[in-house]
PDB file of all heavy atoms in Angstrom:
ATOM      1  N   ILE A 384      10.913 -28.399  46.989  1.00  0.00           N
ATOM      2  CA  ILE A 384      11.571 -28.935  48.184  1.00  0.00           C
ATOM      3  C   ILE A 384      10.984 -28.181  49.380  1.00  0.00           C
ATOM      4  O   ILE A 384      11.092 -26.946  49.444  1.00  0.00           O
ATOM      5  CB  ILE A 384      13.111 -28.732  48.091  1.00  0.00           C
ATOM      6  CG1 ILE A 384      13.634 -29.410  46.801  1.00  0.00           C
ATOM      7  CG2 ILE A 384      13.811 -29.276  49.338  1.00  0.00           C
ATOM      8  CD1 ILE A 384      15.080 -29.130  46.468  1.00  0.00           C
ATOM      9  N   ASN A 385      10.314 -28.915  50.269  1.00  0.00           N
ATOM     10  CA  ASN A 385       9.568 -28.295  51.378  1.00  0.00           C
ATOM     11  C   ASN A 385       8.629 -27.198  50.874  1.00  0.00           C
ATOM     12  O   ASN A 385       8.538 -26.114  51.470  1.00  0.00           O
ATOM     13  CB  ASN A 385      10.522 -27.715  52.425  1.00  0.00           C
ATOM     14  CG  ASN A 385      11.370 -28.796  53.069  1.00  0.00           C
ATOM     15  OD1 ASN A 385      10.908 -29.930  53.218  1.00  0.00           O
ATOM     16  ND2 ASN A 385      12.599 -28.458  53.427  1.00  0.00           N
ATOM     17  N   GLY A 386       8.006 -27.442  49.764  1.00  0.00           N
ATOM     18  CA  GLY A 386       7.032 -26.497  49.229  1.00  0.00           C
ATOM     19  C   GLY A 386       7.638 -25.293  48.509  1.00  0.00           C
ATOM     20  O   GLY A 386       6.921 -24.436  48.017  1.00  0.00           O
ATOM     21  N   VAL A 387       8.969 -25.248  48.430  1.00  0.00           N
ATOM     22  CA  VAL A 387       9.612 -24.091  47.779  1.00  0.00           C
ATOM     23  C   VAL A 387      10.136 -24.509  46.407  1.00  0.00           C
ATOM     24  O   VAL A 387      10.772 -25.562  46.269  1.00  0.00           O
ATOM     25  CB  VAL A 387      10.789 -23.573  48.647  1.00  0.00           C
ATOM     26  CG1 VAL A 387      11.508 -22.422  47.944  1.00  0.00           C
ATOM     27  CG2 VAL A 387      10.286 -23.137  50.012  1.00  0.00           C
ATOM     28  N   GLN A 388       9.864 -23.680  45.393  1.00  0.00           N
ATOM     29  CA  GLN A 388      10.317 -24.000  44.042  1.00  0.00           C
ATOM     30  C   GLN A 388      11.831 -23.857  43.917  1.00  0.00           C
ATOM     31  O   GLN A 388      12.398 -22.839  44.300  1.00  0.00           O
ATOM     32  CB  GLN A 388       9.634 -23.081  43.030  1.00  0.00           C
ATOM     33  CG  GLN A 388      10.159 -23.254  41.609  1.00  0.00           C
ATOM     34  CD  GLN A 388       9.471 -22.349  40.607  1.00  0.00           C
ATOM     35  OE1 GLN A 388       8.275 -22.443  40.357  1.00  0.00           O
ATOM     36  NE2 GLN A 388      10.231 -21.440  40.024  1.00  0.00           N
ATOM     37  N   HIS A 389      12.468 -24.896  43.354  1.00  0.00           N
ATOM     38  CA  HIS A 389      13.889 -24.807  43.002  1.00  0.00           C
ATOM     39  C   HIS A 389      14.009 -25.050  41.509  1.00  0.00           C
ATOM     40  O   HIS A 389      13.321 -25.903  40.959  1.00  0.00           O
ATOM     41  CB  HIS A 389      14.705 -25.864  43.743  1.00  0.00           C
ATOM     42  CG  HIS A 389      14.870 -25.571  45.203  1.00  0.00           C
ATOM     43  ND1 HIS A 389      16.067 -25.211  45.760  1.00  0.00           N
ATOM     44  CD2 HIS A 389      13.967 -25.551  46.207  1.00  0.00           C
ATOM     45  CE1 HIS A 389      15.901 -25.008  47.059  1.00  0.00           C
ATOM     46  NE2 HIS A 389      14.635 -25.203  47.359  1.00  0.00           N
ATOM     47  N   VAL A 390      14.873 -24.304  40.871  1.00  0.00           N
ATOM     48  CA  VAL A 390      15.085 -24.468  39.433  1.00  0.00           C
ATOM     49  C   VAL A 390      16.404 -25.182  39.212  1.00  0.00           C
ATOM     50  O   VAL A 390      17.436 -24.750  39.749  1.00  0.00           O
ATOM     51  CB  VAL A 390      15.203 -23.100  38.728  1.00  0.00           C
ATOM     52  CG1 VAL A 390      15.006 -23.267  37.237  1.00  0.00           C
ATOM     53  CG2 VAL A 390      14.258 -22.111  39.302  1.00  0.00           C
ATOM     54  N   PHE A 391      16.354 -26.235  38.437  1.00  0.00           N
ATOM     55  CA  PHE A 391      17.570 -26.981  38.113  1.00  0.00           C
ATOM     56  C   PHE A 391      17.853 -26.872  36.628  1.00  0.00           C
ATOM     57  O   PHE A 391      16.932 -26.896  35.812  1.00  0.00           O
ATOM     58  CB  PHE A 391      17.404 -28.470  38.472  1.00  0.00           C
ATOM     59  CG  PHE A 391      17.438 -28.739  39.954  1.00  0.00           C
ATOM     60  CD1 PHE A 391      16.349 -28.446  40.754  1.00  0.00           C
ATOM     61  CD2 PHE A 391      18.576 -29.271  40.548  1.00  0.00           C
ATOM     62  CE1 PHE A 391      16.372 -28.690  42.123  1.00  0.00           C
ATOM     63  CE2 PHE A 391      18.616 -29.522  41.920  1.00  0.00           C
ATOM     64  CZ  PHE A 391      17.515 -29.224  42.708  1.00  0.00           C
ATOM     65  N   VAL A 392      19.131 -26.736  36.287  1.00  0.00           N
ATOM     66  CA  VAL A 392      19.553 -26.819  34.890  1.00  0.00           C
ATOM     67  C   VAL A 392      20.554 -27.951  34.805  1.00  0.00           C
ATOM     68  O   VAL A 392      21.599 -27.905  35.477  1.00  0.00           O
ATOM     69  CB  VAL A 392      20.204 -25.499  34.412  1.00  0.00           C
ATOM     70  CG1 VAL A 392      20.791 -25.676  33.020  1.00  0.00           C
ATOM     71  CG2 VAL A 392      19.183 -24.381  34.403  1.00  0.00           C
ATOM     72  N   ASN A 393      20.224 -28.960  34.026  1.00  0.00           N
ATOM     73  CA  ASN A 393      21.084 -30.144  33.884  1.00  0.00           C
ATOM     74  C   ASN A 393      21.541 -30.653  35.253  1.00  0.00           C
ATOM     75  O   ASN A 393      22.713 -30.952  35.460  1.00  0.00           O
ATOM     76  CB  ASN A 393      22.290 -29.839  32.986  1.00  0.00           C
ATOM     77  CG  ASN A 393      21.860 -29.395  31.602  1.00  0.00           C
ATOM     78  OD1 ASN A 393      20.699 -29.534  31.239  1.00  0.00           O
ATOM     79  ND2 ASN A 393      22.774 -28.846  30.834  1.00  0.00           N
ATOM     80  N   GLY A 394      20.606 -30.697  36.184  1.00  0.00           N
ATOM     81  CA  GLY A 394      20.889 -31.278  37.494  1.00  0.00           C
ATOM     82  C   GLY A 394      21.477 -30.314  38.512  1.00  0.00           C
ATOM     83  O   GLY A 394      21.590 -30.648  39.685  1.00  0.00           O
ATOM     84  N   GLU A 395      21.853 -29.097  38.089  1.00  0.00           N
ATOM     85  CA  GLU A 395      22.435 -28.127  39.035  1.00  0.00           C
ATOM     86  C   GLU A 395      21.349 -27.171  39.545  1.00  0.00           C
ATOM     87  O   GLU A 395      20.583 -26.613  38.753  1.00  0.00           O
ATOM     88  CB  GLU A 395      23.534 -27.314  38.308  1.00  0.00           C
ATOM     89  CG  GLU A 395      24.183 -26.256  39.201  1.00  0.00           C
ATOM     90  CD  GLU A 395      25.013 -25.231  38.415  1.00  0.00           C
ATOM     91  OE1 GLU A 395      25.103 -25.343  37.169  1.00  0.00           O
ATOM     92  OE2 GLU A 395      25.538 -24.302  39.060  1.00  0.00           O
ATOM     93  N   ASP A 396      21.284 -27.004  40.866  1.00  0.00           N
ATOM     94  CA  ASP A 396      20.303 -26.076  41.438  1.00  0.00           C
ATOM     95  C   ASP A 396      20.787 -24.644  41.215  1.00  0.00           C
ATOM     96  O   ASP A 396      21.777 -24.209  41.806  1.00  0.00           O
ATOM     97  CB  ASP A 396      20.143 -26.362  42.938  1.00  0.00           C
ATOM     98  CG  ASP A 396      19.017 -25.539  43.568  1.00  0.00           C
ATOM     99  OD1 ASP A 396      18.574 -24.551  42.948  1.00  0.00           O
ATOM    100  OD2 ASP A 396      18.569 -25.887  44.677  1.00  0.00           O
TER     101      ASP A 396
END
Side-chain angles (χ1 to χ4, degrees):
I384 303 172
N385 297 328
V387 177
Q388 174 180 296
H389 287 250
V390 197
F391 287 76
V392 173
N393 301 347
E395 179 194 359
D396 187 344

